[in-house]
Amino acid sequence: MGFSQKIVSKNPHSQAHKELLAKQASTTDQIHFVEQNTFIDLIDDNMEPELDIYTEGWNSKSVNPFKESDVPDTQVIDVTGYFMPVPGFITSNYGYRRRFRRAHKGVDLKLQRNDTVYAAFDGKVRLTSYEPKGYGNYVIIRHPNGLETVYGHLNKHLVEPDQVVRAGEPIGLGGSTGRSTGPHLHFETRFMGYAINPCAIFDFENQTTHTDTYTFNKRTYEQPRNFAPAKTQSTNEEKKLSYKKESSAPTTYVVKKGDTLSSIAHKNGVSAQTIRKLNNLTNSDLIKVGEKLKLR
């Protein structure tokens, strides 16, 4: 690929620079949408995952130029010199969506419209395009460590194909283009076409990578990793307290004036989709004041 630069850690861009980039997006470029109260529905797979641009109808643009016979069974990948693409938390995880019989091959990260999206590693832009039924405006960057990263649902991209970028360099402005119910970044990490679970490389909660290297393995690339002590070393007492808290949670709720299904779900720690299933509600059904809903 012709990369010879050394990968080093990058400092975040200043807030002033971020705001300047955000102003580049014309109001005519913005896609109007109905603002959702919360991302509860996204977390519970209420939104259909994006069509996979690597396999569905994009061969003419060589979106997936890799041959299966060339992909090694294992490969150690250097993930130092990273930069978090956005600081937002995960709103929808990587994994198979039983409801839609299709996999969600990345993670969705919270952002606001026109927030700056950054390159995760040094690399070269391989493709920028638009997919109306899936990723919307998206960017694919190939990196000298062997990975490719995909950034979807952008309001606008700030880079062009064949452009060399550095980790932490702005590559786009966040949006809600394509198959999306609200602003978020669909972020993928690929190795020779294989969609690795980004949580196997990145610790999004702590805004870092788990380790300096990631070993790609054809048998385990879909699995996340978690080395956070607070989550992996729970005591029996903590587990008992957690169980007690869950068992004492309310199982029903009476609808009050001003309530929405999303607000009820958020207040009670469940998803709107769960409430719909328990109460035999469709997406078009309305809830009424005084109605008693099952929560669990």
Side-chain angles (χ1 to χ4, degrees):
M1 294 188 300
F3 289 105
S4 61
Q5 69 266 30
K6 182 179 180 181
I7 302 178
V8 295
S9 296
K10 307 296 187 299
N11 293 323
H13 285 254
S14 66
Q15 183 65 28
H17 180 57
K18 183 176 179 180
E19 293 173 354
L20 179 62
L21 283 169
K23 291 179 182 178
Q24 294 178 12
S26 168
T27 54
T28 60
D29 292 335
Q30 298 181 4
I31 309 299
H32 296 289
F33 67 101
V34 178
E35 186 74 31
Q36 302 295 309
N37 289 333
T38 68
F39 274 83
I40 292 293
D41 286 352
L42 295 182
I43 296 173
D44 196 52
D45 307 342
N46 191 40
M47 187 181 71
E48 184 173 356
E50 296 83 351
L51 297 173
D52 186 358
I53 56 175
Y54 270 73
T55 59
E56 299 187 19
W58 286 88
N59 291 333
S60 62
K61 291 193 176 184
S62 298
V63 175
N64 186 3
F66 305 103
K67 295 180 180 179
E68 173 62 29
S69 60
D70 294 333
V71 182
D73 288 334
T74 62
Q75 178 71 39
V76 177
I77 300 171
D78 182 356
V79 292
T80 58
Y82 71 92
F83 194 98
M84 303 303 290
V86 294
F89 55 87
I90 293 177
T91 60
S92 185
N93 286 305
Y94 172 102
Y96 184 72
R97 298 297 188 255
R98 184 178 303 170
R99 180 181 177 187
F100 304 108
R101 299 181 182 179
R102 188 162 67 238
H104 186 225
K105 296 190 176 181
V107 296
D108 292 342
L109 300 171
K110 172 72 172 172
L111 53 65
Q112 299 297 324
R113 185 182 301 278
N114 287 332
D115 277 355
T116 306
V117 176
Y118 303 97
F121 301 99
D122 289 352
K124 179 182 284 188
V125 178
R126 185 163 67 80
L127 183 64
T128 63
S129 192
Y130 177 73
E131 164 46 48
K133 295 181 180 180
Y135 290 55
N137 290 316
Y138 68 89
V139 171
I140 299 178
I141 302 177
R142 183 175 292 183
H143 308 287
N145 62 5
L147 291 176
E148 286 196 334
T149 48
V150 182
Y151 311 78
H153 303 306
L154 302 175
N155 189 32
K156 182 178 182 179
H157 60 76
L158 303 175
V159 291
E160 299 296 336
D162 297 323
Q163 180 177 334
V164 174
V165 295
R166 296 284 186 176
E169 182 175 340
I171 60 168
L173 303 178
S176 184
T177 57
R179 187 185 293 273
S180 173
T181 60
H184 69 281
L185 175 69
H186 175 78
F187 177 63
E188 294 183 12
T189 49
R190 297 255 182 173
F191 176 69
M192 301 190 74
Y194 277 71
I196 298 169
N197 187 338
C199 291
I201 299 173
F202 293 96
D203 176 354
F204 290 99
E205 183 176 353
N206 294 300
Q207 299 289 289
T208 186
T209 54
H210 293 298
T211 51
D212 289 342
T213 61
Y214 166 73
T215 301
F216 167 80
N217 185 301
K218 284 183 178 180
R219 296 185 300 276
T220 61
Y221 71 93
E222 295 179 320
Q223 299 173 9
R225 292 192 295 171
N226 187 357
F227 300 116
K231 292 186 176 181
T232 57
Q233 298 178 9
S234 298
T235 64
N236 289 333
E237 188 62 31
E238 288 172 334
K239 291 178 181 178
K240 290 177 182 178
L241 290 173
S242 176
Y243 174 79
K244 184 177 180 180
K245 182 178 179 181
E246 290 177 3
S247 62
S248 62
T251 58
T252 60
Y253 180 86
V254 178
V255 179
K256 299 179 179 60
K257 185 176 181 180
D259 280 339
T260 66
L261 208 58
S262 291
S263 67
I264 294 171
H266 185 64
K267 285 188 291 186
N268 290 278
V270 297
S271 70
Q273 185 64 19
T274 296
I275 296 177
R276 289 193 187 99
K277 289 179 180 178
L278 289 173
N279 295 276
N280 297 318
L281 298 173
T282 68
N283 290 339
S284 60
D285 286 339
L286 300 177
I287 56 176
K288 301 177 182 179
V289 174
E291 184 177 357
K292 189 175 182 179
L293 298 175
K294 296 178 182 178
L295 300 176
R296 292 171 176 84

